[in-house]
């Protein structure tokens, strides 16, 4: 898969975050985005490649989609016939992906994006947090958790405020939300540990960083992959 972003980030992307639901993809070749959907998942369900979905619907990086959005797909080849004439596809949220399918710890080198108390951990519950929330003070530095290329800088994704997304490989993306000042631009290459923003409360009720690690568009638990807080990664 060449485009693991969702967007999420719905990042969550709303990257994308919860609940199983059904959706009909009729003969008109239109799919209505539901909670928990990503382009990757819709691609799997409809048999339309991520590349084609993005091209047919004018979606550009970071490939953000919204609940209720109607997407053109290649018919309904990726769905199965039910007892009636319509075809249905079951949506599997990222939180339902078994942890056994997550990448092994140590596969990549990650560092903490900032210091502070984790006030909300990752959760697999329906509607649960698909990252970690780290409390801190306004203006506190936010660092790139890994080397990569910035693929999104903006505030168009409701609920995440000033958001930065970094692509680290074809499989990994990290997201940094609720920033105050953003210090990088789209397309910019960054090093691990490079400051990319300052902590803020944009579109949030308190000063904090919402941080996600996404593997093939699936949000995975950052605490499983980050080193002990306060220590440098051993890689």
């Amino acid at each position: 898969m060449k485009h693991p972003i969702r967007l999420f980030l719905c990042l969550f992307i709303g990257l994308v975050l919860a609940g199983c639901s059904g959706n009909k993809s009729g003969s008109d070749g239109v799919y209505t985005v539901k909670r928990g959907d990503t382009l990757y998942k819709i691609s799997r369900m409809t048999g339309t490649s991520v590349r084609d979905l993005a091209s047919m619907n004018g979606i550009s990086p970071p490939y953000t989609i919204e609940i209720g959005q109607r997407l053109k797909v290649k018919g309904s080849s990726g769905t199965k016939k039910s007892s009636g004439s319509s075809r249905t596809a079951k949506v599997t949220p990222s939180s339902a992906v078994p942890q056994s399918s997550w990448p092994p710890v140590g596969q990549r080198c990650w560092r903490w994006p900032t210091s502070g108390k984790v006030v909300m951990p990752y959760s697999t519950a329906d509607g649960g947090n698909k990252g970690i929330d780290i409390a801190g003070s306004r203006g506190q530095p936010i660092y790139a958790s890994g080397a990569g290329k910035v693929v999104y800088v903006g505030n168009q994704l409701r609920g995440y405020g000033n958001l930065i997304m970094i692509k680290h490989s074809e499989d990994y993306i990290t997201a940094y939300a609720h920033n105050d000042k953003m210090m990088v631009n789209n397309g910019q290459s960054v090093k691990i540990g490079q400051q990319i923003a300052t902590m803020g409360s944009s579109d949030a009720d308190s000063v904090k960083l919402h941080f996600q690690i996404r593997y093939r568009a699936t949000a995975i638990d950052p605490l499983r992959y980050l080193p002990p807080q306060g220590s440098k990664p051993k890689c």
Side-chain angles (χ1 to χ4, degrees), residues 14 31 46 93 120 129 172 182 190:
Y31 181 95
T46 65
M120 184 175 290
N129 197 31
Y172 288 95
M182 298 195 284
V190 296

Side-chain angles (χ1 to χ4, degrees), residues 49-71:
S49 71
V50 173
R51 182 192 296 272
D52 286 344
L53 282 172
S55 176
M56 292 165 60
N57 294 280
I59 301 173
S60 57
Y63 305 102
T64 301
I65 55 177
E66 299 179 354
I67 296 173
Q69 182 176 351
R70 290 169 63 81
L71 301 179

Side-chain angles (χ1 to χ4, degrees), residues 157-221:
L157 191 60
R158 184 176 301 175
Y160 295 92
N162 293 330
L163 173 69
I164 295 172
M165 299 176 73
I166 300 175
K167 182 177 181 180
H168 305 280
S169 69
E170 293 301 328
D171 290 333
Y172 288 95
I173 288 175
T174 52
Y176 313 74
H178 307 309
N179 302 304
D180 186 4
K181 181 181 180 181
M182 298 195 284
M183 305 170 66
V184 291
N185 300 310
N186 280 313
Q188 180 178 339
S189 294
V190 296
K191 298 178 180 179
I192 184 171
Q194 179 177 333
Q195 185 173 356
I196 58 173
T198 60
M199 189 179 291
S201 58
S202 54
D203 216 356
D205 56 6
S206 62
V207 177
K208 61 183 177 181
L209 170 69
H210 175 74
F211 174 67
Q212 290 193 8
I213 296 177
R214 289 190 163 262
Y215 175 71
R216 295 181 180 175
T218 296
I220 56 180
D221 186 0

Side-chain angles (χ1 to χ4, degrees), residues 11-61:
L11 180 96
F12 327 177
I13 301 232
L15 43 134
V16 109
L17 299 184
C20 290
S21 62
N23 188 22
K24 292 185 177 181
S25 177
S27 58
D28 58 352
V30 175
Y31 181 95
T32 301
V33 177
K34 299 294 185 181
R35 182 181 295 274
D37 280 349
T38 67
L39 279 191
Y40 175 71
K41 292 176 187 174
I42 295 172
S43 170
R44 294 281 298 273
M45 291 186 295
T46 65
T48 308
S49 71
V50 173
R51 182 192 296 272
D52 286 344
L53 282 172
S55 176
M56 292 165 60
N57 294 280
I59 301 173
S60 57

Side-chain angles (χ1 to χ4, degrees), residues 70-212:
R70 290 169 63 81
L71 301 179
K72 295 178 183 178
V73 298
K74 290 185 176 179
S76 52
S77 59
T79 58
K80 296 181 179 180
K81 283 189 176 182
S82 62
S83 56
S85 59
S86 65
R87 296 178 174 87
T88 60
K90 184 174 290 185
V91 177
T92 304
S94 60
S95 57
V97 175
Q99 293 188 8
S100 59
S101 67
W102 290 6
V105 174
Q107 183 181 80
R108 287 192 65 88
C109 183
W110 302 109
R111 66 155 285 169
W112 278 81
T114 193
S115 60
K117 180 180 180 181
V118 176
V119 292
M120 184 175 290
Y122 174 92
S123 172
T124 57
D126 185 20
N129 197 31
K130 292 302 171 276
I132 56 175
D133 290 0
I134 307 170
S137 57
R138 189 176 302 278
Q140 182 172 317
I142 304 298
Y143 304 102
S145 191
K149 183 177 182 180
V150 177
V151 293
Y152 181 80
V153 177
N155 55 14
Q156 289 77 34
L157 191 60
R158 184 176 301 175
Y160 295 92
N162 293 330
L163 173 69
I164 295 172
M165 299 176 73
I166 300 175
K167 182 177 181 180
H168 305 280
S169 69
E170 293 301 328
D171 290 333
Y172 288 95
I173 288 175
T174 52
Y176 313 74
H178 307 309
N179 302 304
D180 186 4
K181 181 181 180 181
M182 298 195 284
M183 305 170 66
V184 291
N185 300 310
N186 280 313
Q188 180 178 339
S189 294
V190 296
K191 298 178 180 179
I192 184 171
Q194 179 177 333
Q195 185 173 356
I196 58 173
T198 60
M199 189 179 291
S201 58
S202 54
D203 216 356
D205 56 6
S206 62
V207 177
K208 61 183 177 181
L209 170 69
H210 175 74
F211 174 67
Q212 290 193 8

